[in-house]
């Protein structure tokens, strides 16, 4: 939420009662979500390498201490590389979106084109790829993550000031990643966010942040950022070891944002903000961000793997934890056995020698052992060899990591024969990644919901004209002037297919094959400038576009003149350095475009100005032809 005025309610008893109800509701939701919190904390610890922890009888994650001082407690983390490999593969899933117009009407087609360009621009300005990577990391570790899409009135360029001197900005979209530890639904059995009657977004904010946003002084406390509970400082060391991640935020306050769905009593829903025991804001749901002009929650959910009849998804870490525990145990026991073989186990008769010296120094080479006359000298016990069962069990556990996770690196897999054909190897790659199709599809659907919500918020709040920088078809930078009324459609679909199995090398190979087959050439068998730019962009050689030829520069100049006609209503005089044929072609294409037809309805003089400009270009062509003819005769 943005900067809102503090609620000044004459009925203070109502406010206190309402705050008490929300706090009690939040405590009940904490109790109901406790098993999930414990599971997520365990997943985080196993991913970060603290794998000697467990859940005690109270449902808290605690560290298991050594039973003996000589016990090996090393960690051989296979969960982290498996998850890193999944994240790297899911980072390829960045679908290209397209907006479908309601009809073939000129206004609808133009609105769809503007919407698509805005989505492309927002993906760069808001760094959507980075947000998706952060959200996917939470989703892969905990099984669920959320994106909060809101409107920030303080963003964007300055458009003026109000009566009291406050600055007015055009505003812009604000997207943030929300961890599952901060979301509390009214029931954990719903599958979708829209099914919940209410959702609480609980955050631990610093007291200075609360004062700067809402202008309210609140008392700061130490808050566990996972459970969002006030934790006494003296109890931290008893529960968490030094190996476990610190989770305490000092001088913070718990801020609750409770969102309630529209109902008969609340036609526009309700959102209330509480910090500590103070009510900061109460009002209707601010965003018309759902289909058919309905108000709803500003959240989009992403899950790694869906669980039926559950609000929360599941993570692959939950399946790997038992295998990881067994693997750590077998490796540590194996090393303990090797320590016995290398260091030795001594049998010493009581009182025969200095046992303390033998314990401190061991049986080092050249050591002189003095023992009592008539007693048995110290000797090494035969501990045998490392059982073959250790090696067999270790190998089996490594195979189970691959079988359970469904993720492996075929390059390092020894079972892959060296005489496989390219087709057979491709089939193995597709089979190896088929287990990730569900997670990738959930990510794509999440991107689709974010795009729809972004367009609806722009449609609602973008009342001032916005200026967006775009890259045109020929690689030129252009400016797009628009506002919310230009966005009449929000039917977003996928333009590209599933891209999980396509690496950069595979994309380049497919592109070169299409280029060699002539599929990218025009009807004259030539490669147009716009297609050349797209090919270089896909190959990762955009920097080469800085060395543009004259034909490309002439085309860019003609496009700038077209944009100048729409913005300023005037066209420059043709110049002797213009390639008149190229300019005439670009101007004709612009006259036949839908954008020009829409602008023509608002300003009918545009067509006459453009036609006159084309005639001037033709005059230059005629004059040049006459001069060349005269020179030829002479």
């Amino acid at each position: 939420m943005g900067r809102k005025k503090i609620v000044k309610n004459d009925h203070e008893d109502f406010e206190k009662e309402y705050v008490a109800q929300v706090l009690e509701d939040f405590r009940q939701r904490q109790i109901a979500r406790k098993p999930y919190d414990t599971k997520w904390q365990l997943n985080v610890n196993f991913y970060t390498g603290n794998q000697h922890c467990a859940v005690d009888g109270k449902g808290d994650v605690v560290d298991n201490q050594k039973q003996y001082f000589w016990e090996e407690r090393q960690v051989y983390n296979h969960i982290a590389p498996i998850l890193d490999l999944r994240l790297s593969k899911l980072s390829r899933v960045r679908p290209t979106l397209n907006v479908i117009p309601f009809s073939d009407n000129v206004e609808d087609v133009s609105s769809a084109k503007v919407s698509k360009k805005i989505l492309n621009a927002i993906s760069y300005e808001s760094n959507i790829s980075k947000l998706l990577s952060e959200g996917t990391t939470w989703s892969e570790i905990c099984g669920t993550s959320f994106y909060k899409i809101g409107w920030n009135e303080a963003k964007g360029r300055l458009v003026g000031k109000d009566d009291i001197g406050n600055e007015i900005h055009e505003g812009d979209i604000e997207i943030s990643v929300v961890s599952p530890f901060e979301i509390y639904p009214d029931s954990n059995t719903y599958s979708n966010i829209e099914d919940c009657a209410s959702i609480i977004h609980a955050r631990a904010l610093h007291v200075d942040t609360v004062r700067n946003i809402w202008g309210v002084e609140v008392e700061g406390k130490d808050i566990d950022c996972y459970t969002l509970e006030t934790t006494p400082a003296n109890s931290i060391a008893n529960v968490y070891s030094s190996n476990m991640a610190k989770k305490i935020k000092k001088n913070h306050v718990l801020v609750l944002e409770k969102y309630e769905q529209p109902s008969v009593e609340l036609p526009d829903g309700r959102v209330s903000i509480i910090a500590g025991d103070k009510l900061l804001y109460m009002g209707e749901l601010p965003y018309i961000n759902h289909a058919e002009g309905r108000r709803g929650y500003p959240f989009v959910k992403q899950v790694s793997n869906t669980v039926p009849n559950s609000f929360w998804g599941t993570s692959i870490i939950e399946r790997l934890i038992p295998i990881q525990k067994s693997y750590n145990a077998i490796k540590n026991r194996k090393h303990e056995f090797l320590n016995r073989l290398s260091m030795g186990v001594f049998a010493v008769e009581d009182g025969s020698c200095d046992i303390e010296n033998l314990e401190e120094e061991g049986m080092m080479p050249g050591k002189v052992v003095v023992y009592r006359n008539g007693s048995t000298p110290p000797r090494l016990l035969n501990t045998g060899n490392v059982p073959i069962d250790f090696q067999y069990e270790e190998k089996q556990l490594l195979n189970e990591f691959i079988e359970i996770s469904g993720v492996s690196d075929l390059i390092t897999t020894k079972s892959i024969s060296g005489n496989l054909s390219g087709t057979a190897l491709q089939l193995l790659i597709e089979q190896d990644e088929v287990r990730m199709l569900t997670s990738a599809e959930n990510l794509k659907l999440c991107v689709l919901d974010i795009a729809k919500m972004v367009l609806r918020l722009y449609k609602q709040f973008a009342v001032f004209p916005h200026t967006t920088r775009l890259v045109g078809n020929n690689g030129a930078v252009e400016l797009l002037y628009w506002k919310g009324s230009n966005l009449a459609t929000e039917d977003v679909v996928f333009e590209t297919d599933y891209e999980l199995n396509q690496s950069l090398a595979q994309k380049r190979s497919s592109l070169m094959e299409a280029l060699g087959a002539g599929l990218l050439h025009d009807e004259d068998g030539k490669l147009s400038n716009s297609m050349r730019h797209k090919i270089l962009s896909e190959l990762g050689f955009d920097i080469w576009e800085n060395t543009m030829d004259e034909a490309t520069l002439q085309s860019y100049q003609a496009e700038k003149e077209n944009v100048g006609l729409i913005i300023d209503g005037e066209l420059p005089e043709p110049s002797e350095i213009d390639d008149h044929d190229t300019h005439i072609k670009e101007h004709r294409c612009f006259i036949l475009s839908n954008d020009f037809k829409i602008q023509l309805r608002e300003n009918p003089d545009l067509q006459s100005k453009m036609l006159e400009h084309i005639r001037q270009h033709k005059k230059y062509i005629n004059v040049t032809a006459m001069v060349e003819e005269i020179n030829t005769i002479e």
Side-chain angles (χ1 to χ4, degrees), residues 418-553:
N419 57 357
L420 288 178
S421 64
T423 303
L425 186 60
Q426 182 64 30
L427 291 176
L428 286 175
I429 294 175
E430 294 178 359
Q431 183 180 6
D432 184 61
E433 297 183 348
V434 71
R435 294 283 295 273
M436 297 186 61
L437 290 176
T438 302
S439 300
E441 189 65 23
N442 290 334
L443 176 56
K444 289 180 61 178
L445 295 176
C446 178
V447 174
L448 193 67
D449 292 337
I450 292 175
K452 292 181 179 180
M453 196 170 293
V454 166
L455 290 180
R456 289 162 184 162
L457 289 183
Y458 272 130
K459 188 176 179 181
Q460 179 185 0
F461 292 104
V463 294
F464 299 105
H466 281 59
T467 303
T468 303
R469 290 188 303 173
L470 301 171
V471 178
N473 295 330
N474 292 326
V477 178
E478 62 182 37
L479 295 178
L480 176 65
Y481 294 90
W482 59 276
K483 56 183 179 179
S485 58
N486 300 129
L487 310 178
T489 179
E490 54 192 39
D491 192 4
V492 185
V493 296
F494 295 118
E495 188 176 84
T496 56
D497 200 359
Y498 176 68
E499 300 177 347
L500 182 61
N501 294 328
Q502 294 184 358
S503 63
L504 180 59
Q506 291 171 327
K507 290 181 180 179
R508 290 178 175 176
S509 177
S510 301
L511 185 60
M512 296 305 296
E513 291 178 1
L515 182 62
L519 300 178
L520 304 180
H521 294 78
D522 57 15
E523 62 274 7
D524 298 327
K526 298 180 179 180
L527 194 66
S528 64
N529 291 327
S530 60
M531 183 57 65
R532 179 173 61 87
H533 173 76
K534 291 180 180 179
I535 293 174
L536 290 176
S537 178
E538 289 295 329
L539 293 177
F541 301 136
D542 292 38
I543 190 64
W544 287 10
E545 284 299 302
N546 292 332
T547 58
M548 295 180 289
D549 56 5
E550 181 183 356
T552 304
L553 293 173

Side-chain angles (χ1 to χ4, degrees), residues 30 131 193 242 295 341 374 398 488 493 617 634:
Q30 282 184 305
L131 294 174
I193 294 181
S242 59
R295 298 177 184 267
L341 292 178
L398 289 175
V493 296
H617 279 294
E634 293 178 353

